[in-house]
Amino acid sequence: MERALGLQWCVQSDSFKFNITISERALTRRGILSMVSSIYDPLGFLCPLTLPAKLLLQELCRQNFGWDVTIPHTLSEQWTNWNSKLSLLEGFEVPRCFKPHHFGESVHSQIHHFSDASELGYGTASYLRMTNAKGKVHIAFLMGKARVAPLKRQTIPRLELAAAALSVKVDRMLKAELPSTRDKSVFWSDSTAVLKYISNDHTRFHTYVANRTSRIREATQVSQWRYINTKRNPADDCSRGVSAESFMRNPRWIRGPEFLWSSEEDWPNEPIDRSQLCTDDPEVRKSVTVNSIMQTCEERPTDKLLNYFSDWLKLRVAVAWIMKVKDALRHLVQKRKDSKDDYMYQRANRINTRSVKISMKESITVEDLKGAENAILTYVQRQSFPQEISMLQEGASCVRKGSSIYRLDPMLDGGILRVGGRLRRSAMPEERKHPAILAKDHHVSTLILRYIHAQTGHGGRNHMLSQKEQRKTW
């Protein structure tokens, strides 16, 4: 008999045995953790048996017991009862070799993973199914893992999915250690929700489910996953925990489920439809439908004109020419209306058409540019501050308090909205008392600032503001 940290290897029978003797320590959280950790079980032979002890430690953690605080009587009874039954494991043994004597060469070898979860914990059990040339089947226990459920409450489908992801992780490790397995692994789960999550690759899930399902799909195929009833699932033992008596009385944990010893035709059939998820499944992201109405309106010709130019001087010249032609055409139309005699009408038509042609050959004067500036500013202000201008035209002494220019005490001067206030009584030059008000985000305001910036030789901000305030128009 060879021994290693409580695990015994009987050389004569070539099997593993357990003779667990736990050194008594103080019944505190630290002492119980030390005693549970002293059980050496690297392959998970005793997973269903050790889970109740782990649940006891989790309960102590949930109740915020200190490491060296004596546990209450109710919990100490649970620990004493569990510890006293470990002596029953003296008759427990597991064959070391996966393949029995005189079995011969295995023709087919396949790993089967069973996963399950409950409110207490989740786990997985893995078995190697071998078939020789004569069709004889043998099942060998490979590995078992059991974990307690997180302190933060999770739904059962999420825990079932965590168990399925754990079985995929175990499969990767076993495939690396057992290169002799020829067939694809088979994964069994008793959760229909998990099987539907894995099968639906077009559905959007929440982060927890999405991360684990993507991890499962990367390593496995949907056809490798099968359904098994809970009563026939050996992983149910490691997700709930069993007592020492039940563990020794029921050999299913080491032997595997009975149907694996039969041919594949006798395996459980799948009675579920994986393609349809429940409409009220909380893990499915709700699709949000947004209805929007797009109202398209053509840009005004005047706005197109203002946005077309990138230079303030060119814009003023263009507007000045347009106003010049407009005045000439207006004069022509007025002459036509005043003419009552047909001869006089034709003569007036001829004379005014000639006058329009002559005016187009004339040059733009300073007064024309000034009038163009006033027209541009008037139009821009009516677009930016229509309510304020309307109130002042109706005789109001000030604009509404909610207006963005209320603090400027605006006033109308020749149709242009200007800054008011007590500066009118100051001795400052008239052109600096009442500058025009423009919206800061308007294209015309940008053109004016660029023009002043160029005129001042790209001066600083204060110099630009000083030059701007010297112009009454701006």
Side-chain angles (χ1 to χ4, degrees):
M1 187 73 69
E2 299 293 337
R3 303 174 184 272
L5 300 176
L7 182 66
Q8 299 178 349
W9 173 35
C10 181
V11 181
Q12 183 177 359
S13 62
D14 195 15
S15 60
F16 293 115
K17 295 184 178 182
F18 288 87
N19 184 14
I20 301 176
T21 302
I22 298 180
S23 302
E24 292 295 332
R25 294 180 180 271
L27 292 182
T28 60
R29 184 179 169 188
R30 188 189 307 274
I32 293 177
L33 177 61
S34 176
M35 288 184 281
V36 173
S37 302
S38 65
I39 300 177
Y40 184 66
D41 185 25
L43 295 180
F45 294 132
L46 307 177
C47 277
L49 186 62
T50 56
L51 184 65
K54 296 179 181 178
L55 292 173
L56 178 61
L57 284 171
Q58 187 186 52
E59 182 63 25
L60 294 175
C61 180
R62 181 183 289 109
Q63 297 185 16
N64 294 323
F65 275 92
W67 286 103
D68 299 311
V69 177
T70 304
I71 64 176
H73 179 69
T74 55
L75 298 180
S76 63
E77 281 187 350
Q78 296 181 20
W79 167 256
T80 304
N81 184 37
W82 178 84
N83 190 16
S84 62
K85 300 297 178 60
L86 293 180
S87 59
L88 298 177
L89 295 177
E90 293 182 0
F92 177 69
E93 62 178 316
V94 181
R96 185 193 62 85
C97 186
F98 296 147
K99 187 168 58 175
H101 193 55
H102 302 305
F103 184 77
E105 186 69 21
S106 61
V107 180
H108 298 286
S109 57
Q110 194 176 47
I111 300 178
H112 289 255
H113 302 275
F114 296 85
S115 59
D116 188 47
S118 67
E119 294 181 353
L120 302 177
Y122 63 95
T124 179
S126 303
Y127 302 89
L128 178 63
R129 185 179 187 270
M130 297 172 290
T131 306
N132 60 10
K134 296 180 180 180
K136 186 178 179 181
V137 177
H138 180 73
I139 307 299
F141 180 87
L142 290 179
M143 177 175 284
K145 281 188 175 296
R147 295 178 179 177
V148 296
L151 287 176
K152 183 180 179 181
R153 290 285 182 178
Q154 298 288 352
T155 61
I156 297 299
R158 284 195 172 191
L159 293 176
E160 294 275 7
L161 187 61
L166 179 62
S167 64
V168 173
K169 182 179 180 181
V170 172
D171 180 71
R172 285 183 174 178
M173 187 268 293
L174 293 177
K175 282 291 184 67
E177 299 295 334
L178 301 174
S180 60
T181 55
R182 304 179 181 89
D183 301 334
K184 291 184 178 180
S185 301
V186 181
F187 298 85
W188 301 83
S189 176
D190 57 9
S191 173
T192 57
V194 169
L195 297 177
K196 291 180 180 181
Y197 293 159
I198 298 173
S199 301
N200 286 269
D201 55 348
H202 300 293
T203 307
R204 295 187 60 198
F205 298 104
H206 290 288
T207 305
Y208 186 96
V209 175
N211 290 342
R212 283 156 181 80
T213 52
S214 62
R215 202 177 306 160
I216 292 173
R217 292 196 198 101
E218 289 176 359
T220 63
Q221 300 177 0
V222 178
S223 59
Q224 296 178 250
W225 289 86
R226 304 183 61 140
Y227 174 80
I228 183 176
N229 188 274
T230 304
K231 295 181 179 180
R232 308 177 71 178
N233 189 359
D236 185 68
D237 297 341
C238 66
S239 65
R240 302 177 186 274
V242 296
S243 62
E245 297 92 338
S246 301
F247 184 75
M248 295 298 297
R249 187 169 55 249
N250 187 6
R252 183 181 67 169
W253 175 251
I254 299 299
R255 177 179 171 81
E258 291 298 328
F259 67 85
L260 279 186
W261 294 82
S262 306
S263 61
E264 188 172 352
E265 291 77 12
D266 299 330
W267 293 358
N269 294 323
E270 187 172 354
I272 63 171
D273 182 14
R274 300 190 186 185
S275 59
Q276 296 296 331
L277 283 169
C278 297
T279 56
D280 57 345
D281 195 319
E283 299 297 343
V284 178
R285 287 185 180 272
K286 304 300 180 183
S287 58
V288 180
T289 304
V290 179
N291 298 322
S292 61
I293 299 176
M294 297 183 62
Q295 183 178 2
T296 58
C297 57
E298 295 184 358
E299 190 177 6
R300 296 181 179 182
T302 306
D303 293 332
K304 288 184 178 181
L305 175 66
L306 297 180
N307 294 326
Y308 176 79
F309 289 92
S310 59
D311 183 81
W312 173 240
L313 181 59
K314 292 181 180 180
L315 176 60
R316 285 189 299 167
V317 172
V319 173
W321 278 114
I322 293 175
M323 295 180 63
K324 216 170 176 53
V325 174
K326 183 185 71 171
D327 293 340
L329 292 176
R330 183 182 295 171
H331 183 69
L332 175 61
V333 172
Q334 188 65 33
K335 286 292 184 180
R336 288 179 178 179
K337 289 182 180 180
D338 295 341
S339 299
K340 298 180 180 179
D341 185 65
D342 186 55
Y343 172 74
M344 294 300 296
Y345 173 77
Q346 293 178 1
R347 184 180 178 184
N349 188 18
R350 219 172 23 251
I351 294 174
N352 284 284
T353 304
R354 190 182 306 115
S355 65
V356 172
K357 293 180 180 179
I358 292 174
S359 65
M360 293 294 292
K361 295 180 181 179
E362 296 178 357
S363 59
I364 297 297
T365 63
V366 176
E367 294 298 327
D368 295 334
L369 292 177
K370 187 175 181 180
E373 289 182 5
N374 292 335
I376 294 172
L377 296 181
T378 302
Y379 177 81
V380 170
Q381 288 181 345
R382 292 186 180 277
Q383 296 297 317
S384 304
F385 313 107
Q387 297 181 359
E388 289 80 354
I389 294 176
S390 177
M391 292 180 63
L392 294 176
Q393 287 179 344
E394 293 175 358
S397 59
C398 62
V399 298
R400 56 186 177 87
K401 290 186 177 181
S403 174
S404 59
I405 60 174
Y406 172 76
R407 295 185 178 181
L408 300 180
D409 191 17
M411 66 176 187
L412 284 177
D413 180 20
I416 298 178
L417 197 63
R418 298 185 178 278
V419 178
R422 292 177 292 178
L423 286 178
R424 64 173 63 96
R425 302 175 185 176
S426 66
M428 296 170 58
E430 190 67 25
E431 60 272 10
R432 300 186 62 181
K433 291 181 181 180
H434 308 292
I437 302 175
L438 291 176
K440 63 179 181 179
D441 55 350
H442 200 279
H443 180 63
V444 172
S445 303
T446 304
L447 296 183
I448 293 176
L449 292 177
R450 289 178 182 174
Y451 177 75
I452 299 175
H453 190 57
Q455 291 294 316
T456 57
H458 305 286
R461 178 182 299 178
N462 295 332
H463 185 48
M464 285 180 55
L465 294 176
S466 176
Q467 293 296 320
K468 179 181 71 66
E469 292 175 357
Q470 293 179 12
R471 296 292 303 271
K472 184 180 179 183
T473 309
W474 302 334

